[in-house]
mmCIF file of all heavy atoms in Angstrom:
data_model
loop_
_atom_site.group_PDB
_atom_site.id
_atom_site.type_symbol
_atom_site.label_atom_id
_atom_site.label_comp_id
_atom_site.label_asym_id
_atom_site.label_seq_id
_atom_site.Cartn_x
_atom_site.Cartn_y
_atom_site.Cartn_z
ATOM 1 N N ALA A 95 151.066 146.035 135.775
ATOM 2 C CA ALA A 95 152.063 145.104 136.450
ATOM 3 C C ALA A 95 152.594 145.718 137.693
ATOM 4 O O ALA A 95 153.031 144.943 138.605
ATOM 5 C CB ALA A 95 153.242 144.881 135.469
ATOM 6 N N ASN A 96 152.507 147.017 137.916
ATOM 7 C CA ASN A 96 152.930 147.498 139.114
ATOM 8 C C ASN A 96 151.932 147.962 140.091
ATOM 9 O O ASN A 96 152.113 148.781 141.003
ATOM 10 C CB ASN A 96 153.752 148.865 138.881
ATOM 11 C CG ASN A 96 155.133 148.590 138.039
ATOM 12 O OD1 ASN A 96 155.750 147.684 138.121
ATOM 13 N ND2 ASN A 96 155.243 149.399 136.953
ATOM 14 N N PHE A 97 150.799 147.212 139.970
ATOM 15 C CA PHE A 97 149.610 147.611 140.746
ATOM 16 C C PHE A 97 149.881 147.571 142.262
ATOM 17 O O PHE A 97 149.459 148.583 143.003
ATOM 18 C CB PHE A 97 148.490 146.474 140.405
ATOM 19 C CG PHE A 97 147.391 146.642 141.304
ATOM 20 C CD1 PHE A 97 146.549 147.875 141.244
ATOM 21 C CD2 PHE A 97 146.891 145.600 142.167
ATOM 22 C CE1 PHE A 97 145.455 147.983 142.024
ATOM 23 C CE2 PHE A 97 145.848 145.797 142.977
ATOM 24 C CZ PHE A 97 145.018 146.895 142.932
ATOM 25 N N THR A 98 150.649 146.547 142.817
ATOM 26 C CA THR A 98 150.850 146.478 144.231
ATOM 27 C C THR A 98 151.806 147.524 144.592
ATOM 28 O O THR A 98 152.059 147.653 145.908
ATOM 29 C CB THR A 98 151.162 145.047 144.680
ATOM 30 O OG1 THR A 98 152.387 144.712 143.904
ATOM 31 C CG2 THR A 98 150.103 144.132 144.363
ATOM 32 N N ASP A 99 152.563 148.200 143.828
ATOM 33 C CA ASP A 99 153.673 148.991 144.180
ATOM 34 C C ASP A 99 153.434 150.442 144.140
ATOM 35 O O ASP A 99 153.912 151.304 144.936
ATOM 36 C CB ASP A 99 154.964 148.762 143.392
ATOM 37 C CG ASP A 99 155.342 147.326 143.491
ATOM 38 O OD1 ASP A 99 155.391 146.805 144.657
ATOM 39 O OD2 ASP A 99 155.782 146.713 142.578
ATOM 40 N N HIS A 100 152.648 150.938 143.175
ATOM 41 C CA HIS A 100 152.292 152.356 142.950
ATOM 42 C C HIS A 100 151.237 152.836 143.989
ATOM 43 O O HIS A 100 150.446 152.220 144.596
ATOM 44 C CB HIS A 100 152.006 152.644 141.548
ATOM 45 C CG HIS A 100 150.839 152.092 141.031
ATOM 46 N ND1 HIS A 100 149.596 152.285 141.537
ATOM 47 C CD2 HIS A 100 150.579 151.172 140.046
ATOM 48 C CE1 HIS A 100 148.559 151.639 140.914
ATOM 49 N NE2 HIS A 100 149.170 150.929 139.925
ATOM 50 N N ASP A 101 151.065 154.238 143.947
ATOM 51 C CA ASP A 101 150.079 154.926 144.743
ATOM 52 C C ASP A 101 148.887 155.272 144.048
ATOM 53 O O ASP A 101 148.269 156.234 144.463
ATOM 54 C CB ASP A 101 150.723 156.019 145.536
ATOM 55 C CG ASP A 101 151.318 157.057 144.626
ATOM 56 O OD1 ASP A 101 151.279 156.859 143.283
ATOM 57 O OD2 ASP A 101 151.836 158.111 145.057
ATOM 58 N N GLY A 102 148.578 154.613 142.938
ATOM 59 C CA GLY A 102 147.349 154.953 142.258
ATOM 60 C C GLY A 102 147.701 155.443 140.773
ATOM 61 O O GLY A 102 146.883 155.240 139.815
ATOM 62 N N VAL A 103 148.887 156.047 140.613
ATOM 63 C CA VAL A 103 149.281 156.449 139.282
ATOM 64 C C VAL A 103 150.678 156.068 139.004
ATOM 65 O O VAL A 103 151.679 156.180 139.816
ATOM 66 C CB VAL A 103 149.212 158.031 139.265
ATOM 67 C CG1 VAL A 103 149.621 158.605 137.915
ATOM 68 C CG2 VAL A 103 147.852 158.571 139.553
ATOM 69 N N ASP A 104 150.941 155.419 137.819
ATOM 70 C CA ASP A 104 152.239 154.975 137.422
ATOM 71 C C ASP A 104 152.813 156.021 136.474
ATOM 72 O O ASP A 104 152.489 155.846 135.192
ATOM 73 C CB ASP A 104 152.104 153.548 136.813
ATOM 74 C CG ASP A 104 153.361 152.997 136.604
ATOM 75 O OD1 ASP A 104 154.383 153.648 136.493
ATOM 76 O OD2 ASP A 104 153.436 151.697 136.409
ATOM 77 N N TRP A 105 153.459 156.860 136.911
ATOM 78 C CA TRP A 105 154.003 157.995 136.003
ATOM 79 C C TRP A 105 154.946 157.454 134.943
ATOM 80 O O TRP A 105 155.007 158.100 133.836
ATOM 81 C CB TRP A 105 154.683 159.104 136.916
ATOM 82 C CG TRP A 105 153.719 159.865 137.784
ATOM 83 C CD1 TRP A 105 153.522 159.655 138.966
ATOM 84 C CD2 TRP A 105 152.734 160.832 137.212
ATOM 85 N NE1 TRP A 105 152.430 160.478 139.437
ATOM 86 C CE2 TRP A 105 152.020 161.176 138.427
ATOM 87 C CE3 TRP A 105 152.469 161.293 136.134
ATOM 88 C CZ2 TRP A 105 150.990 162.162 138.357
ATOM 89 C CZ3 TRP A 105 151.464 162.243 135.958
ATOM 90 C CH2 TRP A 105 150.665 162.603 137.065
ATOM 91 N N ASP A 106 155.672 156.398 135.257
ATOM 92 C CA ASP A 106 156.590 155.827 134.139
ATOM 93 C C ASP A 106 155.758 155.318 133.174
ATOM 94 O O ASP A 106 156.005 155.418 131.873
ATOM 95 C CB ASP A 106 157.501 154.795 134.850
ATOM 96 C CG ASP A 106 158.462 155.304 135.846
ATOM 97 O OD1 ASP A 106 158.857 156.496 135.612
ATOM 98 O OD2 ASP A 106 158.967 154.584 136.683
ATOM 99 N N ALA A 107 154.669 154.607 133.489
ATOM 100 C CA ALA A 107 153.846 154.053 132.372
ATOM 101 C C ALA A 107 153.137 155.141 131.578
ATOM 102 O O ALA A 107 153.044 154.973 130.352
ATOM 103 C CB ALA A 107 152.773 153.112 133.025
ATOM 104 N N ILE A 108 152.763 156.258 132.258
ATOM 105 C CA ILE A 108 152.090 157.351 131.493
ATOM 106 C C ILE A 108 153.226 157.897 130.598
ATOM 107 O O ILE A 108 152.793 158.308 129.331
ATOM 108 C CB ILE A 108 151.605 158.461 132.440
ATOM 109 C CG1 ILE A 108 150.408 157.917 133.230
ATOM 110 C CG2 ILE A 108 151.302 159.754 131.735
ATOM 111 C CD1 ILE A 108 149.964 158.745 134.237
ATOM 112 N N GLU A 109 154.339 158.066 131.009
ATOM 113 C CA GLU A 109 155.446 158.627 130.066
ATOM 114 C C GLU A 109 155.709 157.638 128.876
ATOM 115 O O GLU A 109 155.900 158.150 127.780
ATOM 116 C CB GLU A 109 156.694 158.904 130.871
ATOM 117 C CG GLU A 109 157.836 159.476 130.089
ATOM 118 C CD GLU A 109 157.524 160.813 129.432
ATOM 119 O OE1 GLU A 109 156.638 161.449 129.936
ATOM 120 O OE2 GLU A 109 158.177 161.194 128.375
ATOM 121 N N ARG A 110 155.659 156.358 129.147
ATOM 122 C CA ARG A 110 156.034 155.380 128.025
ATOM 123 C C ARG A 110 154.928 155.526 127.044
ATOM 124 O O ARG A 110 155.002 155.425 125.834
ATOM 125 C CB ARG A 110 156.087 154.063 128.582
ATOM 126 C CG ARG A 110 157.349 153.777 129.402
ATOM 127 C CD ARG A 110 157.660 152.296 129.583
ATOM 128 N NE ARG A 110 156.580 151.669 130.341
ATOM 129 C CZ ARG A 110 156.487 151.654 131.707
ATOM 130 N NH1 ARG A 110 157.661 152.075 132.352
ATOM 131 N NH2 ARG A 110 155.583 151.051 132.424
ATOM 132 N N ALA A 111 153.546 155.624 127.546
ATOM 133 C CA ALA A 111 152.430 155.726 126.735
ATOM 134 C C ALA A 111 152.484 157.073 125.848
ATOM 135 O O ALA A 111 152.107 156.994 124.704
ATOM 136 C CB ALA A 111 151.165 155.609 127.499
ATOM 137 N N ARG A 112 152.834 158.042 126.558
ATOM 138 C CA ARG A 112 153.031 159.461 125.813
ATOM 139 C C ARG A 112 153.973 159.287 124.688
ATOM 140 O O ARG A 112 153.702 159.706 123.573
ATOM 141 C CB ARG A 112 153.417 160.498 126.790
ATOM 142 C CG ARG A 112 153.261 161.866 126.126
ATOM 143 C CD ARG A 112 153.666 162.933 127.228
ATOM 144 N NE ARG A 112 155.103 162.776 127.462
ATOM 145 C CZ ARG A 112 156.123 163.390 126.651
ATOM 146 N NH1 ARG A 112 155.696 164.088 125.696
ATOM 147 N NH2 ARG A 112 157.325 163.340 126.915
ATOM 148 N N GLU A 113 155.096 158.747 124.943
ATOM 149 C CA GLU A 113 156.140 158.566 123.850
ATOM 150 C C GLU A 113 155.689 157.586 122.759
ATOM 151 O O GLU A 113 155.952 157.908 121.509
ATOM 152 C CB GLU A 113 157.385 158.004 124.557
ATOM 153 C CG GLU A 113 158.138 158.902 125.336
ATOM 154 C CD GLU A 113 158.575 160.216 124.803
ATOM 155 O OE1 GLU A 113 158.950 160.132 123.508
ATOM 156 O OE2 GLU A 113 158.660 161.358 125.347
ATOM 157 N N ARG A 114 155.083 156.572 123.109
ATOM 158 C CA ARG A 114 154.535 155.595 122.200
ATOM 159 C C ARG A 114 153.475 156.251 121.254
ATOM 160 O O ARG A 114 153.475 156.071 120.079
ATOM 161 C CB ARG A 114 153.872 154.328 122.888
ATOM 162 C CG ARG A 114 153.396 153.337 121.899
ATOM 163 C CD ARG A 114 154.530 152.414 121.208
ATOM 164 N NE ARG A 114 153.955 151.348 120.601
ATOM 165 C CZ ARG A 114 153.524 150.179 121.087
ATOM 166 N NH1 ARG A 114 153.649 149.960 122.404
ATOM 167 N NH2 ARG A 114 152.996 149.178 120.291
ATOM 168 N N ASN A 115 152.523 156.960 121.842
ATOM 169 C CA ASN A 115 151.454 157.760 121.235
ATOM 170 C C ASN A 115 152.074 158.719 120.251
ATOM 171 O O ASN A 115 151.591 158.882 119.122
ATOM 172 C CB ASN A 115 150.493 158.247 122.104
ATOM 173 C CG ASN A 115 149.746 157.249 122.963
ATOM 174 O OD1 ASN A 115 149.739 156.027 122.554
ATOM 175 N ND2 ASN A 115 149.173 157.661 124.162
ATOM 176 N N ARG A 116 153.118 159.471 120.633
ATOM 177 C CA ARG A 116 153.632 160.474 119.902
ATOM 178 C C ARG A 116 154.394 159.850 118.575
ATOM 179 O O ARG A 116 154.321 160.378 117.538
ATOM 180 C CB ARG A 116 154.630 161.366 120.648
ATOM 181 C CG ARG A 116 155.166 162.530 119.964
ATOM 182 C CD ARG A 116 156.067 163.421 120.810
ATOM 183 N NE ARG A 116 157.203 162.693 121.311
ATOM 184 C CZ ARG A 116 157.982 163.227 122.232
ATOM 185 N NH1 ARG A 116 157.932 164.515 122.545
ATOM 186 N NH2 ARG A 116 159.095 162.628 122.669
ATOM 187 N N SER A 117 155.016 158.720 118.860
ATOM 188 C CA SER A 117 155.748 158.134 117.710
ATOM 189 C C SER A 117 154.729 157.605 116.727
ATOM 190 O O SER A 117 155.032 157.468 115.510
ATOM 191 C CB SER A 117 156.613 157.004 118.217
ATOM 192 O OG SER A 117 155.960 156.024 118.781
ATOM 193 N N ARG A 118 153.703 156.999 117.181
ATOM 194 C CA ARG A 118 152.507 156.457 116.249
ATOM 195 C C ARG A 118 151.658 157.600 115.727
ATOM 196 O O ARG A 118 150.992 157.335 114.690
ATOM 197 C CB ARG A 118 151.679 155.578 117.035
ATOM 198 C CG ARG A 118 152.438 154.227 117.526
ATOM 199 C CD ARG A 118 152.830 153.378 116.231
ATOM 200 N NE ARG A 118 153.370 152.139 116.727
ATOM 201 C CZ ARG A 118 152.692 150.976 116.962
ATOM 202 N NH1 ARG A 118 151.365 151.024 116.833
ATOM 203 N NH2 ARG A 118 153.285 149.903 117.332
ATOM 204 N N GLY A 119 151.667 158.845 116.262
ATOM 205 C CA GLY A 119 150.734 159.798 115.743
ATOM 206 C C GLY A 119 149.363 159.646 116.134
ATOM 207 O O GLY A 119 148.445 160.326 115.597
ATOM 208 N N ARG A 120 149.090 158.800 117.042
ATOM 209 C CA ARG A 120 147.661 158.586 117.584
ATOM 210 C C ARG A 120 147.705 157.900 118.890
ATOM 211 O O ARG A 120 148.873 157.372 119.367
ATOM 212 C CB ARG A 120 146.971 157.698 116.563
ATOM 213 C CG ARG A 120 147.577 156.368 116.313
ATOM 214 C CD ARG A 120 146.757 155.584 115.090
ATOM 215 N NE ARG A 120 147.489 154.385 114.740
ATOM 216 C CZ ARG A 120 147.053 153.216 115.453
ATOM 217 N NH1 ARG A 120 146.097 153.224 116.314
ATOM 218 N NH2 ARG A 120 147.664 152.029 115.034
ATOM 219 N N VAL A 121 146.717 157.886 119.561
ATOM 220 C CA VAL A 121 146.604 157.210 120.898
ATOM 221 C C VAL A 121 146.551 155.697 120.749
ATOM 222 O O VAL A 121 145.523 155.161 120.209
ATOM 223 C CB VAL A 121 145.368 157.655 121.681
ATOM 224 C CG1 VAL A 121 145.401 156.967 123.049
ATOM 225 C CG2 VAL A 121 145.470 159.227 121.986
ATOM 226 N N VAL A 122 147.550 154.973 121.075
ATOM 227 C CA VAL A 122 147.600 153.607 121.097
ATOM 228 C C VAL A 122 147.769 152.923 122.447
ATOM 229 O O VAL A 122 147.547 151.757 122.717
ATOM 230 C CB VAL A 122 148.760 152.983 120.146
ATOM 231 C CG1 VAL A 122 148.462 153.388 118.788
ATOM 232 C CG2 VAL A 122 150.112 153.393 120.566
ATOM 233 N N LEU A 123 148.184 153.761 123.378
ATOM 234 C CA LEU A 123 148.333 153.310 124.855
ATOM 235 C C LEU A 123 147.849 154.494 125.736
ATOM 236 O O LEU A 123 147.834 155.623 125.473
ATOM 237 C CB LEU A 123 149.876 153.042 125.231
ATOM 238 C CG LEU A 123 150.470 151.803 124.570
ATOM 239 C CD1 LEU A 123 151.949 151.788 125.046
ATOM 240 C CD2 LEU A 123 149.759 150.704 125.058
ATOM 241 N N GLY A 124 147.140 153.974 126.917
ATOM 242 C CA GLY A 124 146.633 155.084 127.756
ATOM 243 C C GLY A 124 147.499 155.176 128.973
ATOM 244 O O GLY A 124 147.531 156.309 129.652
ATOM 245 N N GLY A 125 148.332 154.259 129.498
ATOM 246 C CA GLY A 125 149.080 154.466 130.675
ATOM 247 C C GLY A 125 148.244 154.328 131.934
ATOM 248 O O GLY A 125 148.765 154.698 132.998
ATOM 249 N N SER A 126 147.001 154.044 131.836
ATOM 250 C CA SER A 126 146.124 154.114 133.081
ATOM 251 C C SER A 126 146.402 152.889 133.938
ATOM 252 O O SER A 126 146.542 151.709 133.479
ATOM 253 C CB SER A 126 144.682 154.058 132.750
ATOM 254 O OG SER A 126 144.272 155.340 132.081
ATOM 255 N N THR A 127 146.405 152.999 135.289
ATOM 256 C CA THR A 127 146.556 151.982 136.250
ATOM 257 C C THR A 127 145.127 151.308 136.452
ATOM 258 O O THR A 127 144.104 151.976 136.069
ATOM 259 C CB THR A 127 147.102 152.471 137.599
ATOM 260 O OG1 THR A 127 146.193 153.454 138.037
ATOM 261 C CG2 THR A 127 148.460 153.147 137.351
ATOM 262 N N ILE A 128 145.143 150.280 137.084
ATOM 263 C CA ILE A 128 143.883 149.742 137.548
ATOM 264 C C ILE A 128 143.040 150.667 138.456
ATOM 265 O O ILE A 128 141.823 150.839 138.203
ATOM 266 C CB ILE A 128 144.053 148.357 138.307
ATOM 267 C CG1 ILE A 128 144.369 147.235 137.231
ATOM 268 C CG2 ILE A 128 142.786 147.993 139.136
ATOM 269 C CD1 ILE A 128 144.837 145.895 137.866
ATOM 270 N N THR A 129 143.674 151.331 139.223
ATOM 271 C CA THR A 129 143.125 152.377 140.102
ATOM 272 C C THR A 129 142.463 153.419 139.255
ATOM 273 O O THR A 129 141.328 153.829 139.460
ATOM 274 C CB THR A 129 144.009 152.833 141.140
ATOM 275 O OG1 THR A 129 144.699 151.787 141.792
ATOM 276 C CG2 THR A 129 143.259 153.713 142.168
ATOM 277 N N MET A 130 143.226 153.952 138.314
ATOM 278 C CA MET A 130 142.611 155.044 137.416
ATOM 279 C C MET A 130 141.502 154.433 136.573
ATOM 280 O O MET A 130 140.496 155.219 136.338
ATOM 281 C CB MET A 130 143.757 155.506 136.513
ATOM 282 C CG MET A 130 144.883 156.253 137.208
ATOM 283 S SD MET A 130 146.332 156.591 136.224
ATOM 284 C CE MET A 130 145.752 157.571 134.895
ATOM 285 N N GLN A 131 141.611 153.215 136.073
ATOM 286 C CA GLN A 131 140.344 152.686 135.299
ATOM 287 C C GLN A 131 139.220 152.649 136.209
ATOM 288 O O GLN A 131 138.063 152.824 135.806
ATOM 289 C CB GLN A 131 140.888 151.359 134.734
ATOM 290 C CG GLN A 131 141.900 151.508 133.664
ATOM 291 C CD GLN A 131 142.301 150.053 133.080
ATOM 292 O OE1 GLN A 131 141.450 149.395 132.674
ATOM 293 N NE2 GLN A 131 143.632 149.692 133.236
ATOM 294 N N LEU A 132 139.482 152.166 137.426
ATOM 295 C CA LEU A 132 138.381 152.161 138.481
ATOM 296 C C LEU A 132 137.735 153.428 138.677
ATOM 297 O O LEU A 132 136.404 153.628 138.707
ATOM 298 C CB LEU A 132 138.847 151.513 139.741
ATOM 299 C CG LEU A 132 137.724 151.440 140.770
ATOM 300 C CD1 LEU A 132 136.584 150.616 140.473
ATOM 301 C CD2 LEU A 132 138.408 150.961 142.050
ATOM 302 N N ALA A 133 138.569 154.502 138.824
ATOM 303 C CA ALA A 133 137.987 155.804 138.881
ATOM 304 C C ALA A 133 137.144 156.276 137.828
ATOM 305 O O ALA A 133 136.094 156.889 137.970
ATOM 306 C CB ALA A 133 139.113 156.902 139.121
ATOM 307 N N LYS A 134 137.685 156.005 136.606
ATOM 308 C CA LYS A 134 136.937 156.430 135.385
ATOM 309 C C LYS A 134 135.491 155.531 135.334
ATOM 310 O O LYS A 134 134.549 156.199 135.107
ATOM 311 C CB LYS A 134 137.734 156.068 134.152
ATOM 312 C CG LYS A 134 137.021 156.381 132.863
ATOM 313 C CD LYS A 134 137.861 156.007 131.617
ATOM 314 C CE LYS A 134 138.020 154.402 131.476
ATOM 315 N NZ LYS A 134 138.755 154.162 130.282
ATOM 316 N N ASN A 135 135.577 154.332 135.537
ATOM 317 C CA ASN A 135 134.373 153.508 135.540
ATOM 318 C C ASN A 135 133.332 153.892 136.599
ATOM 319 O O ASN A 135 132.173 154.009 136.304
ATOM 320 C CB ASN A 135 134.775 152.087 135.654
ATOM 321 C CG ASN A 135 135.461 151.443 134.476
ATOM 322 O OD1 ASN A 135 135.523 152.034 133.537
ATOM 323 N ND2 ASN A 135 136.010 150.273 134.677
ATOM 324 N N LEU A 136 133.829 154.246 137.743
ATOM 325 C CA LEU A 136 132.807 154.608 138.763
ATOM 326 C C LEU A 136 132.272 155.993 138.572
ATOM 327 O O LEU A 136 130.989 156.117 138.843
ATOM 328 C CB LEU A 136 133.568 154.608 140.212
ATOM 329 C CG LEU A 136 134.009 153.298 140.799
ATOM 330 C CD1 LEU A 136 134.817 153.551 142.092
ATOM 331 C CD2 LEU A 136 132.819 152.440 141.138
ATOM 332 N N PHE A 137 132.924 156.977 138.120
ATOM 333 C CA PHE A 137 132.474 158.248 138.206
ATOM 334 C C PHE A 137 132.453 158.976 136.790
ATOM 335 O O PHE A 137 131.583 159.963 136.714
ATOM 336 C CB PHE A 137 133.380 159.098 139.087
ATOM 337 C CG PHE A 137 133.470 158.791 140.492
ATOM 338 C CD1 PHE A 137 134.442 158.041 141.038
ATOM 339 C CD2 PHE A 137 132.344 159.096 141.300
ATOM 340 C CE1 PHE A 137 134.457 157.616 142.312
ATOM 341 C CE2 PHE A 137 132.322 158.643 142.608
ATOM 342 C CZ PHE A 137 133.292 157.959 143.187
ATOM 343 N N LEU A 138 133.238 158.617 135.813
ATOM 344 C CA LEU A 138 133.507 159.567 134.704
ATOM 345 C C LEU A 138 132.975 158.955 133.380
ATOM 346 O O LEU A 138 132.477 157.805 133.311
ATOM 347 C CB LEU A 138 134.939 159.878 134.572
ATOM 348 C CG LEU A 138 135.602 160.422 135.840
ATOM 349 C CD1 LEU A 138 137.101 160.526 135.660
ATOM 350 C CD2 LEU A 138 135.004 161.722 136.252
ATOM 351 N N SER A 139 133.055 159.747 132.325
ATOM 352 C CA SER A 139 132.646 159.385 130.974
ATOM 353 C C SER A 139 133.787 158.803 130.229
ATOM 354 O O SER A 139 134.970 158.772 130.767
ATOM 355 C CB SER A 139 131.986 160.460 130.212
ATOM 356 O OG SER A 139 133.141 161.407 129.965
ATOM 357 N N GLY A 140 133.586 158.162 129.108
ATOM 358 C CA GLY A 140 134.607 157.672 128.338
ATOM 359 C C GLY A 140 135.307 158.708 127.384
ATOM 360 O O GLY A 140 136.119 158.314 126.585
ATOM 361 N N GLU A 141 134.874 160.018 127.514
ATOM 362 C CA GLU A 141 135.492 160.941 126.593
ATOM 363 C C GLU A 141 136.992 161.266 126.816
ATOM 364 O O GLU A 141 137.365 160.810 128.003
ATOM 365 C CB GLU A 141 134.801 162.296 126.842
ATOM 366 C CG GLU A 141 135.106 162.959 128.119
ATOM 367 C CD GLU A 141 134.531 164.312 128.237
ATOM 368 O OE1 GLU A 141 134.514 165.032 127.135
ATOM 369 O OE2 GLU A 141 134.331 164.794 129.341
ATOM 370 N N ARG A 142 137.700 161.545 125.877
ATOM 371 C CA ARG A 142 139.149 161.823 126.004
ATOM 372 C C ARG A 142 139.389 163.333 126.005
ATOM 373 O O ARG A 142 139.174 164.073 125.073
ATOM 374 C CB ARG A 142 139.951 161.294 124.789
ATOM 375 C CG ARG A 142 139.890 159.710 124.631
ATOM 376 C CD ARG A 142 140.645 159.226 123.521
ATOM 377 N NE ARG A 142 140.607 157.801 123.417
ATOM 378 C CZ ARG A 142 141.453 156.887 123.945
ATOM 379 N NH1 ARG A 142 142.381 157.382 124.824
ATOM 380 N NH2 ARG A 142 141.200 155.578 123.890
ATOM 381 N N SER A 143 139.880 163.783 127.171
ATOM 382 C CA SER A 143 140.178 165.307 127.413
ATOM 383 C C SER A 143 141.128 165.393 128.603
ATOM 384 O O SER A 143 141.124 164.522 129.459
ATOM 385 C CB SER A 143 138.976 166.038 127.689
ATOM 386 O OG SER A 143 138.392 165.761 128.966
ATOM 387 N N TYR A 144 141.876 166.375 128.526
ATOM 388 C CA TYR A 144 142.824 166.668 129.675
ATOM 389 C C TYR A 144 142.069 166.891 130.992
ATOM 390 O O TYR A 144 142.612 166.503 132.065
ATOM 391 C CB TYR A 144 143.840 167.836 129.338
ATOM 392 C CG TYR A 144 144.912 167.452 128.246
ATOM 393 C CD1 TYR A 144 144.830 168.071 127.017
ATOM 394 C CD2 TYR A 144 145.774 166.434 128.489
ATOM 395 C CE1 TYR A 144 145.704 167.911 126.072
ATOM 396 C CE2 TYR A 144 146.666 166.203 127.536
ATOM 397 C CZ TYR A 144 146.741 166.788 126.247
ATOM 398 O OH TYR A 144 147.623 166.609 125.304
#
Side-chain angles (χ1 to χ4, degrees):
N96 296 319
F97 173 65
T98 57
D99 299 322
H100 62 62
D101 57 359
V103 180
D104 188 339
W105 292 104
D106 290 337
I108 290 176
E109 180 60 24
R110 288 193 299 271
R112 188 181 70 83
E113 291 296 328
R114 182 79 174 276
N115 295 338
R116 186 171 63 179
S117 66
R118 294 288 187 90
R120 59 189 177 90
V121 177
V122 294
L123 289 177
S126 293
T127 62
I128 284 174
T129 311
M130 291 167 65
Q131 292 179 54
L132 176 61
K134 180 181 69 175
N135 288 350
L136 287 173
F137 294 107
L138 307 174
S139 68
E141 69 170 334
R142 294 181 182 272
S143 71
Y144 289 116

